[in-house]
């Protein structure tokens, strides 16, 4: 019968109602008393009974993550909704409500037992995801066409069906039609379907059922082909994504390896220069300690002949100082040149290996793109053939439909897309290879430039220092002449 709520205020599924229901359904005795004191978390509840509560809307059940059984019968519910989070639901009772459309069941893939008895439903639909459905009660509704039960053929596990009370049950073919079109059913309208009944039903509707099975087989093969194509495209996408991730990881590791090699070289360079500088400082210190007192004596000499002799001796010391400092610098130049040659060789090997790996991965991308293009071209040509037979997709956008004017246009469009994809792959390869080679060239050029500048600066420093001593000696000679 129709359930009305105009005279009674409809109820809302709020926390108070849920807590009361959970508490009422809790364990009996001492265990129940403990549960009441400590409370029962909604996420742990397996069964929930909300019948005879004048509920208008299914709501506020998202916390019941592990719920397997839900009883919402004998309410005033008008729409199936709010069940998408109850993915563990196995048993659902929505009987004796005001539901008109079957909907909102897409996420209930584990559902085995569904009751929609005594509602206002006129069509069996929107249940494709209920692949585990075994028991289905939809009696006492408004279903008036026998053909509507053909929809239930997709549920291979369906064994119990209740249709009693629907207008179609008055059809004289009903008792034979259902067993014929649903041959795996065991119970219909609470009665066991006898083996002889099934045989008679199948014999009576043999031609129609055979024709249906033929078209189902065609449809299944089409769907299977689409599924395989989608799986292949998904696999292609996954493989392409995997290659892109490898390229990214390889690029990152390659960069880190190059940076590590550069840092190691710069550290060796710094140590060599520092060691050379310390040797130079030692040479200068020894020179100054040895000749400081001698230079002071020369400055205060009055004997011109002796002064000339001492100045010549000191010039020899200064020239020896210059030779020692320049010798140290030339040793450093040779050492750094050898170190830089090793660095260039190592960097060249690293970059070459990196480029080879990049080119190998890019080659895999091209292979994937070629396979993808073959699949797309096959799909496009299949669609073109269907369009020629007026079997094209009705929902195909007009701008896409315009491409199927002739075979050449279809092929050229697919090939143009393929060429564009290959161009992007080529550009990415060029970018990665050019960047790696450019990095090596720039770093080596920078290091050579830095070394030339360092050498010039060091030679200038040596000459300035030695020139200082030579100028001092020249000044003493000039004073002696005057």
């Amino acid at each position: 019968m129709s359930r009305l709520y105009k005279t009674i205020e409809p109820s809302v599924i709020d926390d108070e109602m849920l807590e009361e229901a959970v508490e009422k359904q809790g364990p009996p005795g001492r265990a129940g008393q403990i549960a009441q004191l400590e409370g029962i978390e909604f996420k742990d509840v397996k069964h929930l009974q909300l019948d005879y509560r004048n509920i208008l809307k299914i709501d506020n059940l998202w916390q019941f993550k592990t719920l397997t059984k839900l009883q919402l019968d004998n309410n005033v519910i008008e729409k199936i909704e709010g069940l998408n989070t109850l993915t563990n639901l196995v048993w659902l009772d929505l009987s004796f409500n005001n539901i008109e459309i079957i909907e909102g069941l897409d996420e209930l893939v584990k559902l085995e037992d569904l009751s929609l008895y005594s509602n206002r439903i006129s069509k069996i639909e929107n249940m494709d995801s209920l692949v585990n459905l075994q028991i289905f009660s939809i009696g006492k509704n408004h279903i008036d066409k026998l053909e509507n039960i053909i929809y239930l053929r997709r549920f291979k596990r369906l064994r119990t069906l209740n249709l009693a009370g629907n207008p179609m049950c008055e059809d004289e073919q009903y008792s034979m039609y259902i067993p014929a079109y649903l041959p795996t059913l065991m119970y219909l309208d609470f009665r066991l379907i006898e083996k002889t009944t099934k045989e008679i039903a199948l014999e009576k509707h043999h031609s129609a059922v055979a024709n249906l099975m033929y078209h189902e087989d065609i449809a299944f093969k089409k769907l299977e082909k689409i599924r395989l194509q989608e799986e292949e495209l998904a696999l292609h996408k996954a493989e392409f994504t995997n290659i892109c991730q490898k390229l990214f990881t390889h690029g990152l590791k390659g960069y880190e390896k190059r940076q590590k090699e550069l840092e190691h070289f710069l550290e060796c360079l710094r140590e060599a220069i520092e060691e050379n500088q310390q040797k130079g400082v030692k040479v200068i210190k020894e020179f100054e300690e040895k000749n400081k007192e001698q230079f002071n004596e020369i400055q205060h000499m009055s004997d011109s002949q002796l002064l000339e002799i001492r100045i010549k001796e000191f010039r020899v010391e200064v020239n020896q100082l210059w030779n020692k400092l320049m010798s140290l610098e030339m040793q450093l130049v040779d050492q750094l040149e050898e170190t830089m040659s090793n660095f260039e060789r190592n960097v060249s090997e690293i970059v070459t290996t990196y480029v080879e790996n990049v080119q190998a991965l890019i080659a895999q991308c091209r292979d994937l793109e070629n396979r993808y293009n073959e699949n797309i071209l096959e799909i496009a040509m299949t669609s073109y053939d269907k369009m020629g037979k007026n079997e094209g997709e009705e929902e195909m956008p007009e701008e896409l439909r315009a491409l199927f004017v002739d075979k050449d246009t279809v092929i050229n469009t697919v090939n143009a897309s393929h060429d564009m994809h290959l161009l992007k792959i080529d550009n990415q390869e060029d970018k990665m290879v050019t960047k790696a080679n450019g990095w090596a060239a720039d770093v080596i050029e920078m290091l050579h430039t830095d070394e030339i500048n360092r050498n010039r600066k060091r030679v200038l420093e040596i000459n300035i220092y030695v020139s200082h001593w030579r100028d001092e000696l020249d000044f003493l000679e000039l004073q002696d002449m005057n």
Side-chain angles (χ1 to χ4, degrees):
M1 67 180 187
S2 176
R3 281 146 298 283
L4 302 176
Y5 59 86
K6 295 184 181 295
T7 58
I8 304 175
E9 186 70 23
S11 298
V12 176
I13 303 178
D14 54 19
D15 288 346
E16 183 179 352
M17 179 187 291
L18 293 173
E19 288 170 2
E20 185 269 331
V22 169
E23 183 179 318
K24 183 178 179 181
Q25 296 163 211
R30 180 60 180 168
Q33 294 175 359
I34 295 173
Q36 289 181 18
L37 292 173
E38 296 181 353
I40 302 174
E41 293 191 27
F42 291 168
K43 66 181 181 64
D44 298 324
V45 175
K46 302 295 183 182
H47 300 166
L48 184 61
Q49 186 174 343
L50 295 173
D51 55 338
Y52 294 98
R53 292 176 181 268
N54 206 41
I55 295 169
L56 177 63
K57 182 180 180 180
I58 305 172
D59 196 12
N60 203 29
L61 298 177
W62 59 271
Q63 299 177 77
F64 294 85
K65 303 292 185 182
T66 61
L67 196 67
T68 59
K69 183 176 180 179
L70 177 60
Q71 193 169 337
L72 284 166
D73 60 284
N74 289 281
N75 285 293
V76 290
I77 297 167
E78 297 180 344
K79 183 178 181 180
I80 304 175
E81 58 185 338
L83 302 175
N84 57 307
T85 60
L86 308 183
T87 55
N88 290 301
L89 214 56
V90 175
W91 190 93
L92 176 62
D93 188 356
L94 286 167
S95 60
F96 298 99
N97 279 287
N98 297 328
I99 299 167
E100 296 183 359
I101 299 174
I102 301 176
E103 58 186 337
L105 302 173
D106 295 344
E107 305 300 323
L108 309 186
V109 295
K110 295 182 180 180
L111 200 64
E112 297 177 1
D113 190 326
L114 173 62
S115 178
L116 293 171
Y117 184 82
S118 189
N119 277 280
R120 303 173 181 179
I121 298 166
S122 58
K123 185 178 181 181
I124 303 175
E125 59 184 343
N126 302 323
M127 296 168 56
D128 293 30
S129 62
L130 307 186
V131 293
N132 290 300
L133 191 64
Q134 299 177 22
I135 302 172
F136 183 38
S137 176
I138 194 168
K140 204 173 182 183
N141 274 277
H142 300 165
I143 301 170
D144 57 359
K145 296 179 180 179
L146 284 173
E147 293 79 6
N148 195 198
I149 65 98
I150 293 176
Y151 178 85
L152 297 176
R153 286 176 60 85
R154 68 195 65 207
F155 303 112
K156 306 304 180 184
R157 299 185 179 184
L158 186 63
R159 296 295 179 265
T160 301
L161 176 64
N162 175 30
L163 295 166
N166 281 288
M168 67 174 176
C169 297
E170 302 299 323
D171 193 309
E172 60 182 13
Q173 298 186 54
Y174 173 76
S175 60
M176 292 290 108
Y177 190 94
I178 306 300
Y181 282 87
L182 301 176
T184 60
L185 269 186
M186 295 179 64
Y187 296 91
L188 174 62
D189 300 339
F190 309 107
R191 292 183 179 180
L192 177 68
I193 303 175
E194 300 290 343
K195 182 179 179 180
T196 53
T197 302
K198 289 185 178 183
E199 291 173 351
I200 295 170
L202 284 171
E203 181 66 27
K204 183 175 182 180
H205 295 277
H206 174 74
S207 178
V209 172
N211 184 58
L212 176 62
M213 290 177 66
Y214 170 76
H215 286 94
E216 283 179 342
D217 185 58
I218 293 175
F220 173 77
K221 288 178 179 178
K222 287 182 179 179
L223 289 174
E224 186 66 11
K225 184 177 181 180
I226 292 172
R227 185 186 67 80
L228 291 174
Q229 288 175 340
E230 289 177 347
E231 282 186 0
E232 189 168 355
L233 290 175
L235 180 62
H236 165 85
K237 183 178 179 181
E239 289 178 351
F240 192 82
T241 301
N242 184 43
I243 292 174
C244 289
Q245 289 175 340
K246 285 182 179 179
L247 274 172
F248 174 79
T249 303
H250 181 65
L252 188 61
K253 287 183 177 179
Y255 172 78
E256 291 173 351
K257 191 172 183 179
R258 296 193 298 271
Q259 286 298 118
K260 187 176 180 180
E261 184 66 25
L262 177 59
E263 289 171 3
H264 176 69
F265 168 77
L266 292 175
E267 180 63 20
C268 292
L269 191 70
R270 185 190 64 77
E271 290 176 356
I273 293 173
E274 189 176 299
E275 182 182 359
N276 186 272
Q277 286 176 340
Q278 289 173 356
K279 289 179 180 180
V281 169
K282 184 179 180 182
V283 169
I284 292 173
K285 188 176 180 181
E286 288 176 351
F287 170 82
E288 290 181 349
E289 288 177 352
K290 177 182 177 183
N291 297 290
K292 184 177 181 181
E293 186 176 344
Q294 183 181 348
F295 185 75
N296 288 333
E297 289 177 3
I298 292 173
Q299 285 179 314
H300 297 91
M301 279 186 179
S302 57
D303 186 337
S304 296
Q305 290 183 351
L306 183 58
L307 178 61
E308 184 179 350
I309 293 171
R310 291 292 181 89
I311 287 176
K312 285 182 179 179
E313 291 175 349
F314 202 93
R315 283 189 185 279
V316 172
E317 293 288 338
V318 170
N319 289 336
Q320 288 178 349
L321 171 64
W322 184 86
N323 288 333
K324 287 181 180 179
L325 292 175
M326 290 303 293
S327 177
L328 281 173
E329 175 57 22
M330 291 309 297
Q331 289 176 17
L332 179 60
V333 168
D334 291 341
Q335 182 182 354
L336 294 184
E337 186 176 346
E338 182 181 355
T339 304
M340 197 168 295
S341 295
N342 291 333
F343 172 73
E344 288 183 32
R345 184 165 54 252
N346 292 340
V347 166
S348 177
E349 290 177 359
I350 290 172
V351 171
T352 299
T353 302
Y354 169 78
V355 168
E356 288 174 353
N357 289 332
V358 165
Q359 290 173 335
L361 289 170
I362 291 294
Q364 292 180 37
C365 283
R366 289 194 186 93
D367 290 340
L368 280 174
E369 170 55 28
N370 290 331
R371 280 161 44 199
Y372 174 77
N373 180 65
E374 291 173 2
N375 291 334
I376 291 297
L377 185 59
E378 181 183 351
I379 293 171
M381 295 312 300
T382 301
S383 299
Y384 173 78
D385 292 339
K386 286 183 178 180
M387 296 279 286
K389 299 175 184 176
N390 294 320
E391 298 177 359
E393 295 288 338
E394 295 181 0
E395 298 180 359
M396 183 181 293
E398 286 300 321
E399 58 270 22
L400 183 59
R401 190 180 293 272
L403 297 175
F404 289 86
V405 291
D406 58 62
K407 190 174 183 179
D408 289 341
T409 301
V410 175
I411 294 173
N412 291 338
T413 301
V414 174
N415 287 339
S417 174
H418 178 50
D419 291 341
M420 183 179 67
H421 291 166
L422 287 177
L423 180 61
K424 287 184 176 182
I425 292 172
D426 291 343
N427 289 340
Q428 184 61 37
E429 180 183 20
D430 291 341
K431 181 180 177 181
M432 296 182 76
V433 171
T434 303
K435 193 172 182 179
N437 288 327
W439 177 90
D442 291 344
V443 166
I444 291 169
E445 183 181 357
M446 177 195 72
L447 292 175
H448 278 292
T449 301
D450 289 349
E451 170 54 17
I452 291 171
N453 292 334
R454 185 209 64 77
N455 175 249
R456 288 175 178 173
K457 183 180 178 182
R458 181 57 179 164
V459 170
L460 181 61
E461 288 173 349
I462 293 171
N463 286 329
I464 290 173
Y465 180 74
V466 172
S467 294
H468 162 72
W469 287 106
R470 287 173 177 165
D471 290 343
E472 289 289 332
L473 294 174
D474 289 344
F475 178 73
L476 291 174
E477 285 183 337
L478 186 60
Q479 276 187 330
D480 184 53
M481 292 174 61
N482 293 332

